[in-house]
Amino acid sequence: MAQTHTLPPLPYGYDALEPIISKQIMELHHQKHHQTYINNLNAALSAQASATQTNDVPTLISLQQKIKFNGGGHINHSLFWKNLTPPGTPGNELGGAAPALREAINSRWGSQDAFTKAFNTELLGIQGSGWGWLISKGGPKGRLEITTTKDQDPVASGDVPIFGVDMWEHAYYLQYLNNKAGYIEGIWKIINWAEAEKRYTAGVENLLKL
Ligand SMILES: [Fe+2]
């Protein structure tokens, strides 16, 4: 029987990202939304294992989208919790916590401000549900790019997700309502630049532990 996926604990308390992200949002987002992706992924993988045993190709084909959506949801949220950190912690500072990444950002966009503006524009341009990402193309220390993915699509295999911003309404609506720009402005105060530096220089290990 296939090993099942479980909800990874948050690396901080549910209220630790306040006032940027409320305890209520964090509890729902982690315990309900992320948990549901995991439950649905486990169910789809189990059905896939059965269908593989009976060589049931039509069922295998029909499961692909479920695995992509829920597996992507599990990967993206697992990355997201770790790429945030409570406001006012040392990891918040791009300068001190991420020297190599800061240099790469400055060389690519000219300044941190220019990078932030470009990233914000991408986030605000997402239509419907999706994610905005800073990625390193092809592996660690690659060319930096800002990209977006639709729904729960993960970053393309081979590229390193340095950090991502969840732009689904469930990530901010209870607190920010339709003020997407206010949510985005807040996110910059809780980005975990120490984690971002680690991903930029060394990549991401074990996106999903099986
Ligand atoms: Fe989410």
Side-chain angles (χ1 to χ4, degrees):
M1 170 153 179
Q3 203 172 351
T4 55
H5 296 276
T6 55
L7 186 66
L10 284 185
Y12 35 72
Y14 283 107
D15 61 355
L17 302 184
E18 287 192 344
I20 310 296
I21 300 181
S22 71
K23 182 182 178 191
Q24 184 191 28
I25 287 180
M26 290 304 291
E27 284 178 343
L28 287 166
H29 202 173
H30 184 251
Q31 294 171 350
K32 305 294 181 190
H33 291 281
H34 190 173
Q35 182 68 61
T36 301
Y37 295 121
I38 292 168
N39 294 346
N40 291 339
L41 174 64
N42 287 336
L45 290 176
S46 168
Q48 185 191 47
S50 306
T52 300
Q53 278 190 342
T54 55
N55 200 24
D56 181 351
V57 174
T59 298
L60 286 172
I61 291 170
S62 76
L63 287 167
Q64 285 182 350
Q65 179 55 29
K66 278 184 190 163
I67 292 169
K68 182 183 181 190
F69 181 77
N70 293 290
H74 182 26
I75 289 173
N76 290 344
H77 287 86
S78 299
L79 286 166
F80 185 54
W81 309 134
K82 285 201 274 185
N83 74 221
L84 300 178
T85 193
T89 59
N92 281 145
E93 298 297 328
L94 171 60
L101 182 56
R102 181 180 60 173
E103 198 179 313
I105 284 174
N106 286 342
S107 130
R108 175 82 171 79
W109 283 279
S111 69
Q112 191 187 347
D113 273 357
F115 161 69
T116 306
K117 275 186 190 142
F119 199 99
N120 290 353
T121 300
E122 286 289 326
L123 291 179
L124 287 170
I126 292 173
Q127 296 181 333
S129 298
W131 291 74
W133 302 94
L134 175 64
I135 62 166
S136 173
K137 285 297 287 177
K141 294 185 183 170
R143 179 178 169 80
L144 292 177
E145 279 184 16
I146 299 165
T147 188
T148 62
T149 59
K150 199 171 161 38
D151 298 324
Q152 291 298 354
D153 288 356
V155 165
S157 164
D159 296 340
V160 178
I162 295 172
F163 63 82
V165 178
D166 189 344
M167 291 306 292
W168 282 57
E169 285 189 348
H170 69 222
Y172 63 87
Y173 205 85
L174 282 172
Q175 188 176 356
Y176 291 89
L177 302 179
N178 62 333
N179 182 15
K180 255 191 219 187
Y183 165 64
I184 291 168
E185 193 185 329
I187 278 286
W188 292 111
K189 297 175 185 156
I190 53 173
I191 290 291
N192 187 343
W193 288 106
E195 174 70 17
E197 175 84 349
K198 207 166 73 180
R199 293 180 190 175
Y200 174 61
T201 54
V204 177
E205 283 178 62
N206 296 326
L207 273 181
L208 287 181
K209 286 177 194 158
L210 274 168

